[in-house]
Amino acid sequence: MSGGGGPSLMDSLFQRTLDDLIKGIRLHLPGAAQSSFISKSLDEIRREIKSTDSQTKATALQKLTYLHSLHGIDMSWAAFHAVELTSSPSFLHKKTGYLAASLSFRPSMDVLLLLTNQLRKDLSSTNQHEVSLALECLSVICTPDFARDLTPDIFTLLSGKNFIRKKAIACLLMVFSQYPDAVRVCFKRLVDNLESADNAQTLAATVGVFCELASKEPRSYLPLAPEFYRILVDSRNNWVLIKVLKIFAHLAKLEPRLAKKVVEPICDHMKRSEAKSLVFECVRAIVSSFYEFEFAVKLAVAKIREFLLDSDLNLRYLGLQGLLLVAPNHLWAVLENKEVVIKSLSDVDRNIKLEALRLVMSMVSDDNVVEICRVLIGYALKSDPEFCNEILRSMLSTCSRNVYEIVIDFDWYVSLLAEMARIPHCQNGEEIEFQLIDIGMRVKDVRPELVRAGRDLLIDPALLGNPFIHRILSAAAWVSGEYVKFSRNPFEIMEALLQPRTNLLPPSIRSVYIHSTFKVLSFCLHSFLLPGKGVNSSRSNFVDIEPGFTYSESEQEFTETDHATSSSGFNKRDTFTQEAVVNMLTLVITSLTPLAESHDVEIQERVRNVLGLAQLAQQEISCNHDQKEKMVDKVDLKTSIIIRLINDALSEDFGPVSLSAQERVPVPNGLVLEENLSKLDSICADVQLSISESFSLVKPILLPTDGDSVSNQQNEEDSETSPAESMSLLAEHRKRHGLFYLPSDHNKNASSSFPPANDPNQRDNDVEDLVKLTDESLVLKRKPGSNRPRPVVVKLDEGERLPITVKKTDENDDLISGAVRDVLLGNEASLHSSNPSGRRKGESHSKDKVENFETGNSSKRRSKHRNHGKYVEDKEENSEKSKKKSGGRHKARRRADGGIDVAVQKQVIPDFLL
Amino acid sequence: MIHFVLLISRQGKVRLTKWYSPYSQKERSKVIRELSGTILSRGPKLCNFVEWRGLKVVYKRYASLYFCMCINQEDNELEILEIIHHYVEILDRYFGSVCELDLIFNFHKAYYILDEVLIAGELQESSKKTVARLVATQDSLVEAAKEEANSISNIIAQATK
């Protein structure tokens, strides 16, 4: 009897059974009582599991498995005991051991090594239920080692009894993915199972494996198309048909001739079948891979319609999904069913609403975006907060797609963004903030409207109370400061920026406000002190009154961007009276002085900047005020000089920055980029969010190597100076975007006709509205109004979009498909064909592995060698068989021998299929 | 393929979990928490599909239990509903109008039956009769093993070891 912590006989006799454990857990209330009971039981289990009596051990393990799978208790420590039990002669204990293993083992466990032998023993057991246990366990916990060592055993099972064979086949998928070389051994047998139609279950399992394999790398399985075709036509088993359809959906994309051949039988199934699952699979296959066949799509859309009109919510959901799949290629199908789609927007089920929303968004084009957004906004106002935000999010992402591709009228879009900000549940502040600033930088013509919208947002004290839109206010403040020259009344903006309720803002946003104050202040002072330099010069430039007037280069840029304001017709000189400026200075000083002692460094620093300027100006201007009659030349004041400098600094335009700009900066000598900064990461984690916005505003001019974006930027600016150049640029634009551009100064009159983003009168009947609008505007032809000039949107080179990371197929998949091709095409083909380097690498890699496999393990694993030899024989036999069977395939292979890889793949489709 | 199977009671208690794709223990508990939250909060008479982290969860409620299976976006939802129903019918036949308590006290049997229905995340047997027969045979094997273990001679052998 083992002493110490070991279990006694009494322990074994009075062990708690599984039932006792479960009852105990149920007796204790969830929470502390239950968890203390569980930990007490765990202590018992720890003791019992060490017992030499396998019954006691098995019960303990079973209890532990229960706790693990349903209460998430860790049981990795008991892995060894589970392995021990799998080798028990008693079926009961073996089963318990395997259950524990398959539920709890991880690939990283050392104990797995101990299981290999037991698995091999059970796989070759005469008791088929033991084989089944081993296969099930293997299918869950398969590792590369298991797969390598057990491949021969599984290979023999592939032609065994049906009950075992189907499990072995299903297991192959795991084995292949862990050890691609197993393909070479087992693939032929797998294909044979495809041909033997004697048992539905093995066929289903085989097709299942191919379905998974083909979803990863379809090309390799094209040669098997005839077999799949036979199954598609002959089989009456819906489970199998669904999988075969999936396989064909993958294959048809690669081989148009195949698609032509297969589309008929698929339509037959679609017409004939009673099973909705099969019908839907047919529909899905047709609309995703056979969308070029008009008759098939029509049939599929008819089926979708049946689904949409069904009372079963599941079918309605799938119907909408079907439509979503059709939409990219056949928008008419969506239009035909638009009433249903729109009705679904008000469905009880959120999932259905979401699908409907996606569909509505898929209908959006530059012709109807205005109307659709108007109705959706009305819709968002009535929906629950969650769905409301979903609507807003999808509108934002649709409209901003491809640098606002579908937005023609940016004035409208800006007012839409402002409208969104006012929706009470709006939680998309961050995105709206980004877009407001982004548009401001990209689209020059929209800046006046942007400032107007920003002013409306800033001036509303109620908005400051809603933390969700603080981010938007930050954007509004930035825009109003940066583009203050377009403002009708800068003093008003100043008041808005300094209103008392701004103390509700978080410091990061408040500092944006203060910085904008600074910009507005310097603009006002500039306009007041140096009126000739700012407004007049631009007018002279524009209307050409004073041709002899000269000005410095830096101002030229500034004044040119200014023409929209000056041409809008109000006289700034009247606005900037001495009294107004003095009042403003007083306001700035009184409201900001308390903040000079702020705890937030950012605020404090900016406030001091503003105050410094304001106090200086106040001194000089008010002293000037006293001696009104003497009117010193304002240009000579100290303030004027400073203001001129500040204004010069501020007048430079911000532009969008290419995402790849950073990459183009050469790495300075001595800078180690790969240095491990993981520590820094944890330090900065909480800071990062707030600094992101200051990064996005880097001036493109400052990037020395960002040549493209600079020239692009300048091009856009030049386009407004010299007509000849601008014409050529426009032509280029037209060529690139297929849109009709007019010179941008016509923009003013055109943009006045945009409809309000959200007309309160029309809010109530949106469903009818949307139906109506789809009637009117979803027609695919362009509306007459659509040739309104679209303002220039600054786009950078390709690099602006996120760098497309070429998705490399998993190396394993590569290896699998490489091996599959080798097996299917015979080895000669793969040796002679000049493969793309990637595959060749994969092959040589796997060949090496085979060699290892043969030399390294030869002493230990003789049995496998025997099998291996058998496999080679078997394979030769098989290939002979297949040669006899289809001369066409043989011929194809011959031809392929000399050709390149692509040719090999194309020609392996035997002609009798086509 | 099916990534995992979950049985959750209406109170949010887990009754069975089977994972066909690799998930660490931490991920497993997170998945269970997330999904039981979303699925249990859905009202009755809604559709049986939930999109979740780029995958799809098909669930169906039988009495007090929610049967959930997670599949890829492009897999067939209706097929999975049929598989769930298939499994429930087999359980029902095995236990004789199955209830939650049957599954609680026979959790291992629920696993064994599931293992005859699914393997490697795929349906392996579409005939209820076959599954019933297989499970019955295994039960008889287990019974035989139990009898042997409980025979007096065995107990004496154990005690005197």
PDB file of all heavy atoms in Angstrom, chain B residues 3 5 10 15 17 23 31 45 48 59 69-70 77 88 95 98 103 112 119 123 126 128 145:
ATOM      1  N   HIS B   3     -16.179  24.226 -36.610  1.00  0.00           N
ATOM      2  CA  HIS B   3     -15.032  24.547 -35.766  1.00  0.00           C
ATOM      3  C   HIS B   3     -15.234  24.091 -34.326  1.00  0.00           C
ATOM      4  O   HIS B   3     -14.298  23.663 -33.684  1.00  0.00           O
ATOM      5  CB  HIS B   3     -14.746  26.048 -35.797  1.00  0.00           C
ATOM      6  CG  HIS B   3     -14.303  26.517 -37.137  1.00  0.00           C
ATOM      7  ND1 HIS B   3     -13.094  26.173 -37.667  1.00  0.00           N
ATOM      8  CD2 HIS B   3     -14.923  27.257 -38.077  1.00  0.00           C
ATOM      9  CE1 HIS B   3     -12.963  26.706 -38.863  1.00  0.00           C
ATOM     10  NE2 HIS B   3     -14.067  27.370 -39.133  1.00  0.00           N
ATOM     11  N   VAL B   5     -18.526  22.731 -31.314  1.00  0.00           N
ATOM     12  CA  VAL B   5     -19.917  22.486 -30.941  1.00  0.00           C
ATOM     13  C   VAL B   5     -20.067  22.904 -29.487  1.00  0.00           C
ATOM     14  O   VAL B   5     -19.212  22.581 -28.666  1.00  0.00           O
ATOM     15  CB  VAL B   5     -20.259  20.988 -31.080  1.00  0.00           C
ATOM     16  CG1 VAL B   5     -21.670  20.721 -30.632  1.00  0.00           C
ATOM     17  CG2 VAL B   5     -20.046  20.521 -32.498  1.00  0.00           C
ATOM     18  N   ARG B  10     -30.220  27.453 -20.924  1.00  0.00           N
ATOM     19  CA  ARG B  10     -30.828  28.773 -20.984  1.00  0.00           C
ATOM     20  C   ARG B  10     -30.247  29.709 -19.930  1.00  0.00           C
ATOM     21  O   ARG B  10     -30.233  30.911 -20.080  1.00  0.00           O
ATOM     22  CB  ARG B  10     -32.339  28.636 -20.792  1.00  0.00           C
ATOM     23  CG  ARG B  10     -33.136  29.675 -21.537  1.00  0.00           C
ATOM     24  CD  ARG B  10     -34.591  29.424 -21.344  1.00  0.00           C
ATOM     25  NE  ARG B  10     -34.843  28.895 -20.007  1.00  0.00           N
ATOM     26  CZ  ARG B  10     -36.034  28.556 -19.558  1.00  0.00           C
ATOM     27  NH1 ARG B  10     -37.078  28.683 -20.334  1.00  0.00           N
ATOM     28  NH2 ARG B  10     -36.211  28.093 -18.338  1.00  0.00           N
ATOM     29  N   ARG B  15     -23.013  22.818 -21.218  1.00  0.00           N
ATOM     30  CA  ARG B  15     -23.335  21.403 -21.036  1.00  0.00           C
ATOM     31  C   ARG B  15     -22.468  20.489 -21.876  1.00  0.00           C
ATOM     32  O   ARG B  15     -22.366  19.306 -21.615  1.00  0.00           O
ATOM     33  CB  ARG B  15     -24.807  21.156 -21.376  1.00  0.00           C
ATOM     34  CG  ARG B  15     -25.790  21.843 -20.452  1.00  0.00           C
ATOM     35  CD  ARG B  15     -25.532  21.461 -19.016  1.00  0.00           C
ATOM     36  NE  ARG B  15     -26.470  22.116 -18.105  1.00  0.00           N
ATOM     37  CZ  ARG B  15     -26.191  22.384 -16.834  1.00  0.00           C
ATOM     38  NH1 ARG B  15     -25.017  22.080 -16.337  1.00  0.00           N
ATOM     39  NH2 ARG B  15     -27.081  22.964 -16.074  1.00  0.00           N
ATOM     40  N   THR B  17     -18.854  20.840 -24.746  1.00  0.00           N
ATOM     41  CA  THR B  17     -18.025  21.620 -25.666  1.00  0.00           C
ATOM     42  C   THR B  17     -17.142  20.658 -26.435  1.00  0.00           C
ATOM     43  O   THR B  17     -16.538  19.767 -25.849  1.00  0.00           O
ATOM     44  CB  THR B  17     -17.087  22.573 -24.910  1.00  0.00           C
ATOM     45  OG1 THR B  17     -16.286  21.805 -24.012  1.00  0.00           O
ATOM     46  CG2 THR B  17     -17.836  23.625 -24.153  1.00  0.00           C
ATOM     47  N   TYR B  23      -8.127  25.768 -30.262  1.00  0.00           N
ATOM     48  CA  TYR B  23      -8.365  26.969 -29.456  1.00  0.00           C
ATOM     49  C   TYR B  23      -7.689  26.724 -28.114  1.00  0.00           C
ATOM     50  O   TYR B  23      -7.832  25.630 -27.554  1.00  0.00           O
ATOM     51  CB  TYR B  23      -9.858  27.185 -29.201  1.00  0.00           C
ATOM     52  CG  TYR B  23     -10.661  27.665 -30.384  1.00  0.00           C
ATOM     53  CD1 TYR B  23     -11.203  26.770 -31.292  1.00  0.00           C
ATOM     54  CD2 TYR B  23     -10.896  29.015 -30.585  1.00  0.00           C
ATOM     55  CE1 TYR B  23     -11.951  27.208 -32.371  1.00  0.00           C
ATOM     56  CE2 TYR B  23     -11.645  29.456 -31.663  1.00  0.00           C
ATOM     57  CZ  TYR B  23     -12.164  28.553 -32.545  1.00  0.00           C
ATOM     58  OH  TYR B  23     -12.911  28.995 -33.604  1.00  0.00           O
ATOM     59  N   VAL B  31     -14.628  32.454 -25.959  1.00  0.00           N
ATOM     60  CA  VAL B  31     -15.626  32.141 -26.979  1.00  0.00           C
ATOM     61  C   VAL B  31     -16.955  31.805 -26.320  1.00  0.00           C
ATOM     62  O   VAL B  31     -18.011  32.315 -26.715  1.00  0.00           O
ATOM     63  CB  VAL B  31     -15.143  30.945 -27.831  1.00  0.00           C
ATOM     64  CG1 VAL B  31     -16.270  30.398 -28.670  1.00  0.00           C
ATOM     65  CG2 VAL B  31     -13.975  31.348 -28.693  1.00  0.00           C
ATOM     66  N   LYS B  45     -38.060  33.074 -31.993  1.00  0.00           N
ATOM     67  CA  LYS B  45     -38.613  33.340 -33.327  1.00  0.00           C
ATOM     68  C   LYS B  45     -37.757  34.310 -34.129  1.00  0.00           C
ATOM     69  O   LYS B  45     -38.267  35.113 -34.898  1.00  0.00           O
ATOM     70  CB  LYS B  45     -40.034  33.888 -33.230  1.00  0.00           C
ATOM     71  CG  LYS B  45     -41.014  32.833 -32.754  1.00  0.00           C
ATOM     72  CD  LYS B  45     -42.416  33.397 -32.696  1.00  0.00           C
ATOM     73  CE  LYS B  45     -43.359  32.405 -32.033  1.00  0.00           C
ATOM     74  NZ  LYS B  45     -44.526  33.059 -31.479  1.00  0.00           N
ATOM     75  N   ASN B  48     -31.771  31.670 -37.023  1.00  0.00           N
ATOM     76  CA  ASN B  48     -30.881  30.824 -36.229  1.00  0.00           C
ATOM     77  C   ASN B  48     -29.403  31.035 -36.530  1.00  0.00           C
ATOM     78  O   ASN B  48     -28.584  30.198 -36.192  1.00  0.00           O
ATOM     79  CB  ASN B  48     -31.216  29.354 -36.474  1.00  0.00           C
ATOM     80  CG  ASN B  48     -32.599  29.001 -35.992  1.00  0.00           C
ATOM     81  OD1 ASN B  48     -33.547  28.982 -36.756  1.00  0.00           O
ATOM     82  ND2 ASN B  48     -32.725  28.771 -34.704  1.00  0.00           N
ATOM     83  N   TYR B  59     -27.348  28.137 -34.447  1.00  0.00           N
ATOM     84  CA  TYR B  59     -27.794  27.600 -33.168  1.00  0.00           C
ATOM     85  C   TYR B  59     -29.261  27.244 -33.256  1.00  0.00           C
ATOM     86  O   TYR B  59     -29.989  27.745 -34.118  1.00  0.00           O
ATOM     87  CB  TYR B  59     -27.567  28.623 -32.047  1.00  0.00           C
ATOM     88  CG  TYR B  59     -28.517  29.787 -32.084  1.00  0.00           C
ATOM     89  CD1 TYR B  59     -29.703  29.761 -31.354  1.00  0.00           C
ATOM     90  CD2 TYR B  59     -28.247  30.888 -32.869  1.00  0.00           C
ATOM     91  CE1 TYR B  59     -30.580  30.820 -31.402  1.00  0.00           C
ATOM     92  CE2 TYR B  59     -29.111  31.958 -32.928  1.00  0.00           C
ATOM     93  CZ  TYR B  59     -30.285  31.917 -32.195  1.00  0.00           C
ATOM     94  OH  TYR B  59     -31.164  32.959 -32.252  1.00  0.00           O
ATOM     95  N   MET B  69     -23.316  25.437 -33.302  1.00  0.00           N
ATOM     96  CA  MET B  69     -22.168  24.967 -34.064  1.00  0.00           C
ATOM     97  C   MET B  69     -21.596  26.139 -34.841  1.00  0.00           C
ATOM     98  O   MET B  69     -22.337  26.927 -35.416  1.00  0.00           O
ATOM     99  CB  MET B  69     -22.564  23.854 -35.044  1.00  0.00           C
ATOM    100  CG  MET B  69     -23.013  22.589 -34.344  1.00  0.00           C
ATOM    101  SD  MET B  69     -23.244  21.233 -35.465  1.00  0.00           S
ATOM    102  CE  MET B  69     -23.803  19.960 -34.329  1.00  0.00           C
ATOM    103  N   CYS B  70     -20.278  26.213 -34.878  1.00  0.00           N
ATOM    104  CA  CYS B  70     -19.634  27.342 -35.548  1.00  0.00           C
ATOM    105  C   CYS B  70     -19.018  26.883 -36.855  1.00  0.00           C
ATOM    106  O   CYS B  70     -18.299  25.875 -36.895  1.00  0.00           O
ATOM    107  CB  CYS B  70     -18.554  27.907 -34.632  1.00  0.00           C
ATOM    108  SG  CYS B  70     -17.600  29.180 -35.394  1.00  0.00           S
ATOM    109  N   GLU B  77     -25.556  26.873 -43.927  1.00  0.00           N
ATOM    110  CA  GLU B  77     -26.203  27.003 -42.624  1.00  0.00           C
ATOM    111  C   GLU B  77     -27.329  25.985 -42.440  1.00  0.00           C
ATOM    112  O   GLU B  77     -27.491  25.420 -41.350  1.00  0.00           O
ATOM    113  CB  GLU B  77     -26.791  28.403 -42.455  1.00  0.00           C
ATOM    114  CG  GLU B  77     -25.788  29.532 -42.471  1.00  0.00           C
ATOM    115  CD  GLU B  77     -25.529  30.058 -43.869  1.00  0.00           C
ATOM    116  OE1 GLU B  77     -25.865  29.339 -44.841  1.00  0.00           O
ATOM    117  OE2 GLU B  77     -24.988  31.162 -44.007  1.00  0.00           O
ATOM    118  N   VAL B  88     -29.763  15.770 -32.158  1.00  0.00           N
ATOM    119  CA  VAL B  88     -30.787  15.817 -31.113  1.00  0.00           C
ATOM    120  C   VAL B  88     -31.696  14.598 -31.205  1.00  0.00           C
ATOM    121  O   VAL B  88     -32.034  13.980 -30.187  1.00  0.00           O
ATOM    122  CB  VAL B  88     -31.608  17.118 -31.224  1.00  0.00           C
ATOM    123  CG1 VAL B  88     -32.773  17.086 -30.258  1.00  0.00           C
ATOM    124  CG2 VAL B  88     -30.738  18.313 -30.936  1.00  0.00           C
ATOM    125  N   PHE B  95     -31.675   8.302 -25.127  1.00  0.00           N
ATOM    126  CA  PHE B  95     -32.072   8.497 -23.742  1.00  0.00           C
ATOM    127  C   PHE B  95     -33.576   8.308 -23.537  1.00  0.00           C
ATOM    128  O   PHE B  95     -34.039   8.224 -22.411  1.00  0.00           O
ATOM    129  CB  PHE B  95     -31.680   9.895 -23.261  1.00  0.00           C
ATOM    130  CG  PHE B  95     -30.197  10.069 -23.075  1.00  0.00           C
ATOM    131  CD1 PHE B  95     -29.451  10.804 -23.977  1.00  0.00           C
ATOM    132  CD2 PHE B  95     -29.556   9.486 -21.994  1.00  0.00           C
ATOM    133  CE1 PHE B  95     -28.090  10.964 -23.801  1.00  0.00           C
ATOM    134  CE2 PHE B  95     -28.197   9.641 -21.812  1.00  0.00           C
ATOM    135  CZ  PHE B  95     -27.457  10.378 -22.723  1.00  0.00           C
ATOM    136  N   VAL B  98     -35.007  12.864 -24.417  1.00  0.00           N
ATOM    137  CA  VAL B  98     -33.870  13.381 -23.665  1.00  0.00           C
ATOM    138  C   VAL B  98     -34.212  14.708 -22.970  1.00  0.00           C
ATOM    139  O   VAL B  98     -35.001  15.494 -23.481  1.00  0.00           O
ATOM    140  CB  VAL B  98     -32.672  13.576 -24.616  1.00  0.00           C
ATOM    141  CG1 VAL B  98     -32.994  14.627 -25.650  1.00  0.00           C
ATOM    142  CG2 VAL B  98     -31.400  13.922 -23.880  1.00  0.00           C
ATOM    143  N   LEU B 103     -28.211  14.795 -20.082  1.00  0.00           N
ATOM    144  CA  LEU B 103     -26.916  15.202 -20.620  1.00  0.00           C
ATOM    145  C   LEU B 103     -25.963  15.616 -19.502  1.00  0.00           C
ATOM    146  O   LEU B 103     -24.760  15.440 -19.606  1.00  0.00           O
ATOM    147  CB  LEU B 103     -27.088  16.357 -21.610  1.00  0.00           C
ATOM    148  CG  LEU B 103     -27.909  16.032 -22.848  1.00  0.00           C
ATOM    149  CD1 LEU B 103     -27.858  17.203 -23.829  1.00  0.00           C
ATOM    150  CD2 LEU B 103     -27.395  14.783 -23.530  1.00  0.00           C
ATOM    151  N   TYR B 112     -19.674  10.619 -26.571  1.00  0.00           N
ATOM    152  CA  TYR B 112     -19.481   9.429 -27.401  1.00  0.00           C
ATOM    153  C   TYR B 112     -20.435   9.436 -28.587  1.00  0.00           C
ATOM    154  O   TYR B 112     -20.061   9.084 -29.701  1.00  0.00           O
ATOM    155  CB  TYR B 112     -19.701   8.151 -26.566  1.00  0.00           C
ATOM    156  CG  TYR B 112     -18.698   7.977 -25.443  1.00  0.00           C
ATOM    157  CD1 TYR B 112     -19.053   7.386 -24.244  1.00  0.00           C
ATOM    158  CD2 TYR B 112     -17.390   8.431 -25.605  1.00  0.00           C
ATOM    159  CE1 TYR B 112     -18.133   7.244 -23.213  1.00  0.00           C
ATOM    160  CE2 TYR B 112     -16.469   8.300 -24.580  1.00  0.00           C
ATOM    161  CZ  TYR B 112     -16.845   7.707 -23.382  1.00  0.00           C
ATOM    162  OH  TYR B 112     -15.935   7.581 -22.374  1.00  0.00           O
ATOM    163  N   ILE B 119     -16.970  13.738 -37.102  1.00  0.00           N
ATOM    164  CA  ILE B 119     -15.544  13.478 -36.903  1.00  0.00           C
ATOM    165  C   ILE B 119     -14.774  14.542 -37.674  1.00  0.00           C
ATOM    166  O   ILE B 119     -15.161  14.916 -38.784  1.00  0.00           O
ATOM    167  CB  ILE B 119     -15.139  12.057 -37.339  1.00  0.00           C
ATOM    168  CG1 ILE B 119     -13.661  11.812 -36.982  1.00  0.00           C
ATOM    169  CG2 ILE B 119     -15.375  11.816 -38.807  1.00  0.00           C
ATOM    170  CD1 ILE B 119     -13.257  10.364 -37.072  1.00  0.00           C
ATOM    171  N   LEU B 123     -19.751  15.743 -40.779  1.00  0.00           N
ATOM    172  CA  LEU B 123     -20.725  14.703 -40.502  1.00  0.00           C
ATOM    173  C   LEU B 123     -20.146  13.379 -40.983  1.00  0.00           C
ATOM    174  O   LEU B 123     -19.645  13.281 -42.095  1.00  0.00           O
ATOM    175  CB  LEU B 123     -22.021  15.009 -41.247  1.00  0.00           C
ATOM    176  CG  LEU B 123     -23.136  13.998 -41.033  1.00  0.00           C
ATOM    177  CD1 LEU B 123     -23.819  14.273 -39.712  1.00  0.00           C
ATOM    178  CD2 LEU B 123     -24.133  14.042 -42.162  1.00  0.00           C
ATOM    179  N   SER B 126     -24.966   9.645 -41.442  1.00  0.00           N
ATOM    180  CA  SER B 126     -26.252  10.321 -41.577  1.00  0.00           C
ATOM    181  C   SER B 126     -27.413   9.387 -41.231  1.00  0.00           C
ATOM    182  O   SER B 126     -28.561   9.800 -41.320  1.00  0.00           O
ATOM    183  CB  SER B 126     -26.404  10.869 -42.989  1.00  0.00           C
ATOM    184  OG  SER B 126     -26.248   9.829 -43.916  1.00  0.00           O
ATOM    185  N   LYS B 128     -29.495   7.491 -38.488  1.00  0.00           N
ATOM    186  CA  LYS B 128     -29.697   7.459 -37.029  1.00  0.00           C
ATOM    187  C   LYS B 128     -29.595   6.036 -36.507  1.00  0.00           C
ATOM    188  O   LYS B 128     -29.073   5.790 -35.431  1.00  0.00           O
ATOM    189  CB  LYS B 128     -31.068   8.029 -36.690  1.00  0.00           C
ATOM    190  CG  LYS B 128     -31.223   9.484 -37.042  1.00  0.00           C
ATOM    191  CD  LYS B 128     -32.608   9.941 -36.661  1.00  0.00           C
ATOM    192  CE  LYS B 128     -33.082  11.143 -37.417  1.00  0.00           C
ATOM    193  NZ  LYS B 128     -33.303  11.077 -38.826  1.00  0.00           N
ATOM    194  N   ALA B 145     -16.893  -4.839 -19.628  1.00  0.00           N
ATOM    195  CA  ALA B 145     -15.683  -4.435 -18.908  1.00  0.00           C
ATOM    196  C   ALA B 145     -15.989  -4.143 -17.452  1.00  0.00           C
ATOM    197  O   ALA B 145     -15.227  -4.501 -16.557  1.00  0.00           O
ATOM    198  CB  ALA B 145     -15.082  -3.200 -19.582  1.00  0.00           C
TER     199      ALA B 145
END
